[in-house]
Amino acid sequence: MRAAVLDRPGEPLRIEDLALDPPRAGEVRVRITASGICHSDLHVRDGEWPRDTPIVLGHEGAGLIEAVGPGVDPARIGERVALSWYFPCLRCRECQAGRQWLCRDSGSLRHRQADGSTRLHRADGRDVLANLAIGTFAEATVTPSEAAIAMPAGTPDDVAALIGCCVSTGVGAVLKTAAVPAGASVAVWGLGGVGLSSVMGAAFAGASPIVAVDRVAAKLDRALAAGATDTVLAGDDPAETLAEVRGLTAGGPDFAFEAIGVAATIEAAIASLPPGGTAVLVGLTPFGVRASFDVFPFVDGSRRILGSNYGFAVAAEDFPRYAALFLAGRLPIDQLVDDHVSLEGIEGAFAAMRRGDGVRRIALP
């Protein structure tokens, strides 16, 4: 099967024919029908997040189960699924406490299956890793069955793929990590797939006002369609942007979500808080990036900072829930999609991402 392989960070992906082993115990083979092209993939491709190579990138995928390994119910063959990029071991302390997003023994961060091996190989027999154990920039993948979550009937493949990463990350940050109550004021800094998902989550939660902030004017229109009440076009003067956000939120937002992973916007989100406000850091920076804040007013005002990984997702529960909300017209997830590309078009999608052009392109292997 064909896949997009990263041989060395900083180099273009190569489209290769790889051998894919059958699923082993507890695993499923999934034919990929859609894969979102996420900024996390770009971090790896450009060398900002170190990875062992060669590796098939992609981690925001959906598909159809076409084979199962021993111990997996054969009735799952034919299921349409969204793939979770952080499959839980279900045994560790965090999993047992219901915090699967903190699983301490997931093979996802080793980019291997639960037994420590990979199912991908080149023609000469050399192993190829799968990003976060799913590697969705491919025609097919073998994953742990826990990573393949059945979707409600009628869920489009694009929507299922985005639920697998940006939607769960952004909506979950609002509904689960921060538990934003109705009537709270919200600001969202950065309007990519995760940021716009945070806007959707805030609208679903009944927050008001919801202020969307970005440097790209076209993304502000997308935010209004997703549920924002107000927008701020960020300029070169951070003080002016902060003043606009504070003016639209009666002195500062109760909750400020940073969805880019840039030190300057992290610091701006924290600086925007009123006494009692909460900054929720959702965007992931390149390794080694540090941010700072003025400590005295932070402590004196009883402000808070929360880190939110994967929107505190428990995939088996949250993925179907978000799909059902989309089908009910409560989360306009389909509005995140800009275009569809082939595997050969992923590098072009990366270039558009670097320019800040668009929100989400979907690869159709």
Side-chain angles (χ1 to χ4, degrees):
M1 59 102 195
R2 298 170 69 248
V5 181
L6 179 69
D7 253 331
R8 281 175 290 276
E11 295 184 357
L13 302 185
R14 295 174 50 183
I15 310 304
E16 300 186 27
D17 288 315
L18 300 178
L20 180 63
D21 294 340
R24 299 182 188 176
E27 298 172 355
V28 298
R29 175 185 167 112
V30 178
R31 176 163 53 84
I32 301 297
T33 53
S35 179
I37 301 171
C38 175
H39 204 280
S40 294
D41 299 306
L42 184 60
H43 280 308
V44 178
R45 185 257 186 245
D46 287 351
E48 294 173 336
W49 293 357
R51 289 280 192 278
D52 291 336
T53 56
I55 188 169
V56 174
L57 292 189
H59 65 280
E60 189 175 64
L64 184 74
I65 293 179
E66 55 185 12
V68 300
V72 180
D73 186 352
R76 295 203 67 186
I77 295 174
E79 277 186 0
R80 291 198 170 275
V81 297
L83 296 178
S84 169
W85 56 258
Y86 201 69
F87 74 87
C89 74
L90 302 178
R91 298 181 303 274
C92 72
R93 174 181 175 182
E94 299 299 341
C95 283
Q96 290 295 304
R99 297 187 291 266
Q100 294 180 9
W101 62 91
L102 294 176
C103 175
R104 298 178 179 181
D105 196 30
S106 172
S108 291
L109 297 185
R110 299 188 294 273
H111 315 290
R112 301 174 182 272
Q113 302 305 307
D115 65 3
S117 62
T118 180
R119 303 290 166 266
L120 295 165
H121 314 282
R122 283 179 163 152
D124 61 6
R126 286 182 296 166
D127 287 347
V128 177
L129 300 178
N131 190 38
L132 296 168
I134 57 177
T136 59
F137 289 168
E139 292 178 333
T141 187
V142 168
T143 76
S145 61
E146 293 85 1
I149 310 302
M151 290 286 95
T155 306
D157 292 335
D158 287 2
V159 169
L162 299 183
I163 286 172
C165 183
C166 72
V167 170
S168 292
T169 299
V171 173
V174 175
L175 301 185
K176 300 189 72 178
T177 306
V180 171
S185 57
V186 164
V188 178
W189 300 73
L191 302 175
V194 172
L196 287 174
S197 294
S198 296
V199 170
M200 292 180 197
F204 176 75
S208 183
I210 302 169
V211 180
V213 187
D214 203 283
R215 297 180 68 90
V216 180
K219 291 185 178 181
L220 302 182
D221 294 333
R222 300 280 284 271
L224 291 171
T229 61
D230 301 275
T231 61
V232 172
L233 182 63
D236 293 330
D237 185 347
E240 287 185 6
T241 303
L242 275 172
E244 285 193 66
V245 171
R246 290 178 179 138
L248 291 167
T249 55
D254 298 317
F255 295 89
F257 293 84
E258 199 281 345
I260 314 171
V262 173
T265 48
I266 291 170
E267 292 174 350
I270 295 170
S272 74
L273 298 176
T278 299
V280 186
L281 307 187
V282 188
L284 290 169
T285 68
F287 287 12
V289 170
R290 302 178 70 87
S292 63
F293 57 90
D294 193 351
V295 176
F296 182 88
F298 187 88
V299 177
D300 187 57
S302 298
R303 295 164 172 88
R304 297 189 301 163
I305 299 173
L306 300 176
S308 182
N309 181 39
Y310 211 176
F312 285 14
V314 177
E317 298 174 358
D318 294 323
F319 285 14
R321 177 191 179 200
Y322 298 147
L325 289 172
F326 164 77
L327 293 169
R330 304 294 303 278
L331 289 178
I333 297 169
D334 54 338
Q335 294 183 14
L336 301 177
V337 178
D338 294 300
D339 197 6
H340 298 87
V341 301
S342 65
L343 292 179
E344 288 81 1
I346 292 173
E347 281 292 329
F350 282 156
M353 195 178 295
R354 293 187 190 97
R355 298 192 301 269
D357 175 10
V359 177
R360 263 305 186 273
R361 289 168 174 84
I362 304 289
L364 303 177

